[in-house]
Amino acid sequence: MYRLQERKKHDCGHRPRIGKNRSCSFKRRRSPADKNHYPDSALETEITDMLDHYDIKTIVMGNGTHHEELRRRTEKAAEAAGYTITVQLVNEKYTTEMGEKKYWEEHPPRGLARLIPVTFRTVPEPVDDYVAWIIGDIYLGRIKAEDVGHKKV
């Protein structure tokens, strides 16, 4: 006689199937809380820690919302820790669209999702990592805002 095994929930909250493959087939979508997002109050601490561990001469940031305050706080934190750095601003126009494009290049849709037109798709997770990389590439001159292929450019 078979005894039914108690099916416990995985960490993701999904009940696994009983069978040969007992690993969880449910893929949990990552939320912004899963990444290393720091509260605004931790900015100075993170900058000081990075400067202590790496030989940083220049910090590159986008010229978007709140860039003046972030630039001031970054320079002030570096100065308070005894470091001399420069903060370079980069035009971040259309970088979000470029980040979304880069996301879809690295994570192409599978299955029936391939049939959904590109204009109807939404990125399932924040693209901040891609945007940061793109801002670095713009600073280094590897790409330009015009490379996004945006209809307004």
Side-chain angles (χ1 to χ4, degrees):
M1 175 177 251
Y2 288 126
R3 269 178 30 195
L4 291 175
Q5 296 176 354
E6 170 115 11
R7 293 193 300 166
K8 296 180 181 177
K9 287 186 177 183
H10 283 198
D11 293 337
C12 65
H14 179 254
R15 290 189 185 275
R17 295 184 205 138
I18 294 178
K20 289 181 182 178
N21 184 5
R22 294 186 182 183
S23 65
C24 185
S25 62
F26 180 77
K27 291 187 178 178
R28 189 176 132 236
R29 286 192 176 159
R30 291 172 55 188
S31 71
D34 293 338
K35 292 189 176 189
N36 290 331
H37 287 246
Y38 301 103
D40 286 343
S41 60
L43 176 69
E44 287 82 0
T45 306
E46 289 301 316
I47 289 172
T48 304
D49 288 347
M50 283 192 297
L51 292 171
D52 288 341
H53 287 89
Y54 304 102
D55 185 27
I56 298 174
K57 302 294 180 207
T58 303
I59 294 180
V60 180
M61 63 176 62
N63 64 351
T65 309
H66 303 295
H67 75 273
E68 292 172 1
E69 177 191 352
L70 292 174
R71 181 180 191 171
R72 180 185 51 78
R73 287 176 61 190
T74 301
E75 290 172 342
K76 192 174 182 180
E79 186 179 318
Y83 294 97
T84 304
I85 61 164
T86 58
V87 177
Q88 294 289 324
L89 296 178
V90 171
N91 184 4
E92 64 175 78
K93 191 174 186 180
Y94 305 122
T95 54
T96 302
E97 288 88 346
M98 294 170 85
E100 290 173 354
K101 183 179 176 183
K102 187 74 171 166
Y103 175 87
W104 288 120
E105 287 173 5
E106 292 187 8
H107 302 92
R110 297 180 177 187
L112 292 175
R114 291 179 295 160
L115 302 175
I116 299 172
V118 176
T119 55
F120 291 149
R121 292 185 201 146
T122 57
V123 179
E125 62 184 69
V127 293
D128 297 337
D129 299 346
Y130 295 100
V131 171
W133 192 267
I134 289 166
I135 287 174
D137 281 346
I138 291 172
Y139 174 75
L140 295 173
R142 294 181 186 161
I143 59 175
K144 298 177 184 172
E146 296 83 33
D147 294 342
V148 70
H150 197 280
K151 60 186 174 188
K152 292 182 181 178
V153 177

